[in-house]
Amino acid sequence: MSFSSTQLSAVRGMGIYEPFHQINSWGDTFRADGTLHVDASTNLPVDTGLDDKAEYGSQESVEPSRSDQESNRPVDKIQRRLAQNREAARKSRLRKKAYVQQLESSRLKLVQLEQELDRTRQQGIYISSAADPGHLGLPGTLNSGITTFEMEYAHWLEEQHRHVSELRSALQAHITDIELRILVENGLNHYNNLFRMKADAAKADVFYLVSGKWRTSVERFFQWIGGFRPSELLNVLMSHLEPLTDQQLVDVCNLRQCSQQAEDALSQGIDKLQQTLTQSMAADLSIPGSYRIEMAAAVEKLEALEGFVNQADHLRQQTLQHLSRILTTRQAARGLLALGEYFHRLRALSSLWAARPRESA
């Protein structure tokens, strides 16, 4: 393949002479029959191209796997991002649900507080010379701690009714033990909330709890240091827990005996406190100026009453927890159901007693 002088001049003028010259020189390396002409004086190695092809082939075998990995990376990132978005959305829904529940609880408390204030205004229960300062607190003010407890306890009773209904439906539906255990734990925590509320109320006015003004008349008939006797409730529940194994019977009997011993110790402590107060108030009545000293000493002794109420509630709480550990899940559920029904019947009996027909004189 050759070019005329005119063609070469045109090529040089276009600036592409070198490539064309190289192509022309490559043409000299081939014979007329198409075979490769090798000049021995050049000592150029003969390259068959097999190594390049092998290397090229190996690169082709590797490149697809790399491309697959690179193509999979965006998919993995998208999946992780979607999973993170779903988790963030779930947490956001939980926060929103908790916030709505908190708002609803606050709204309910506000409505109850307004009702309590309206009832207080209508009845005229403000501190005056005829008011009961032991119930209402400091002169000229309402005892906010007791008012708060009364509202919380009213809400607690509503929740108690809901828990009892859920337990009854669950036992009738024969749900799994895992689901039933959740209801049992919720029921125990519900009683724990009551003990916490009572501890706050005891700080505000311990005599309010001991007197049982926050309960119905029939419930007050069974009152013991601001609540119920654990040993008596064990006797009530025994018939609802059967059948019990021999080991369960032994454990329940031991629990009842321990509860009775603790109850006796607390009762003796209360009796001792009453005797001490009686002696303190009756001492040196005829000595002038002893009034303030004796009253100050009596106030200090009365502060121990709050500790007795807290210890009695702690005994009630521990008895419920130990009993739930002795029983199976379904037995514990039946026990909580029976306990809720028992207290409901006491309140119903109080209503029937108050509404009973009376003969006119």
Side-chain angles (χ1 to χ4, degrees):
M1 182 178 181
S2 61
F3 297 93
S4 64
S5 59
T6 304
Q7 291 173 334
L8 291 176
S9 299
V11 170
R12 290 192 187 96
M14 296 173 63
I16 55 177
Y17 170 74
E18 290 299 330
F20 274 90
H21 176 71
Q22 186 177 9
I23 293 174
N24 191 23
S25 64
W26 288 348
D28 297 338
T29 60
F30 291 90
R31 297 189 178 92
D33 58 359
T35 60
L36 180 63
H37 172 69
V38 180
D39 189 356
S41 63
T42 59
N43 294 326
L44 294 175
V46 178
D47 190 358
T48 61
L50 295 177
D51 295 338
D52 292 339
K53 292 181 180 179
E55 183 179 356
Y56 181 75
S58 64
Q59 291 178 354
E60 287 183 344
S61 63
V62 174
E63 286 300 323
S65 62
R66 292 180 180 175
S67 62
D68 291 342
Q69 293 177 358
E70 292 177 355
S71 63
N72 289 334
R73 287 176 184 173
V75 176
D76 294 340
K77 290 181 179 179
I78 292 174
Q79 291 178 351
R80 287 197 300 268
R81 187 170 298 173
L82 289 176
Q84 292 174 355
N85 292 340
R86 287 194 296 268
E87 181 65 17
R90 187 184 69 83
K91 292 181 179 179
S92 178
R93 289 193 298 269
L94 292 177
R95 287 195 297 268
K96 182 178 179 181
K97 182 179 179 181
Y99 178 70
V100 172
Q101 291 177 348
Q102 183 179 4
L103 289 179
E104 181 64 21
S105 178
S106 300
R107 185 192 67 81
L108 180 61
K109 290 182 179 181
L110 180 60
V111 171
Q112 292 175 342
L113 179 60
E114 291 176 350
Q115 293 175 352
E116 181 68 21
L117 291 176
D118 291 339
R119 185 165 58 251
T120 301
R121 294 190 187 97
Q122 293 173 3
Q123 296 176 356
I125 308 181
Y126 284 95
I127 297 299
S128 62
S129 57
D132 180 10
H135 171 62
L136 297 175
L138 297 176
T141 60
L142 288 171
N143 193 326
S144 60
I146 297 304
T147 302
T148 301
F149 172 78
E150 289 178 342
M151 291 186 297
E152 289 182 344
Y153 183 64
H155 181 63
W156 186 90
L157 289 176
E158 295 176 358
E159 289 292 315
Q160 174 73 356
H161 179 72
R162 183 178 63 84
H163 282 299
V164 171
S165 299
E166 288 180 350
L167 280 173
R168 185 185 299 107
S169 300
L171 289 172
Q172 292 175 353
H174 302 288
I175 63 175
T176 63
D177 287 350
I178 296 177
E179 295 173 315
L180 198 59
R181 170 54 60 180
I182 295 176
L183 295 178
V184 170
E185 293 295 335
N186 291 338
L188 293 175
N189 290 332
H190 188 59
Y191 281 103
N192 293 337
N193 290 334
L194 176 61
F195 298 138
R196 176 191 55 79
M197 290 158 44
K198 290 176 63 180
D200 295 336
K203 296 177 181 178
D205 187 357
V206 66
F207 285 101
Y208 172 81
L209 286 179
V210 175
S211 64
K213 292 181 179 180
W214 51 288
R215 284 189 162 175
T216 60
S217 57
V218 177
E219 287 178 307
R220 288 197 297 269
F221 180 70
F222 296 97
Q223 184 88 347
W224 174 78
I225 314 181
F228 53 84
R229 285 181 178 269
S231 60
E232 291 182 356
L233 287 184
L234 288 176
N235 293 333
V236 172
L237 296 178
M238 283 298 294
S239 61
H240 299 277
L241 303 178
E242 297 176 351
L244 295 172
T245 64
D246 294 339
Q247 185 60 47
Q248 285 179 324
L249 286 172
V250 172
D251 293 338
V252 171
C253 291
N254 291 335
L255 179 60
R256 180 168 49 194
Q257 184 178 1
C258 292
S259 298
Q260 289 176 341
Q261 292 175 354
E263 291 167 13
D264 293 341
L266 288 174
S267 298
Q268 292 174 6
I270 290 290
D271 293 340
K272 183 64 176 179
L273 178 61
Q274 291 177 341
Q275 294 175 3
T276 303
L277 283 173
T278 301
Q279 296 172 0
S280 177
M281 298 298 294
D284 300 330
L285 294 176
S286 60
I287 299 177
S290 63
Y291 176 79
R292 292 184 178 180
I293 299 176
E294 297 299 334
M295 294 301 291
V299 169
E300 292 181 358
K301 292 182 175 64
L302 279 177
E303 292 178 351
L305 185 59
E306 180 182 345
F308 281 108
V309 174
N310 292 334
Q311 291 180 43
D313 276 345
H314 181 70
L315 176 60
R316 287 183 270 265
Q317 184 181 26
Q318 291 297 313
T319 302
L320 286 176
Q321 291 179 353
H322 283 298
L323 181 61
S324 66
R325 297 190 188 101
I326 295 172
L327 304 176
T328 64
T329 299
R330 295 195 174 273
Q331 288 173 336
R334 294 204 309 267
L336 286 175
L337 176 60
L339 188 61
E341 290 286 0
Y342 174 72
F343 287 126
H344 176 73
R345 291 186 179 185
L346 291 181
R347 291 189 292 269
L349 182 58
S350 297
S351 300
L352 292 174
W353 173 256
R356 73 190 189 282
R358 295 178 178 84
E359 296 180 358
S360 57

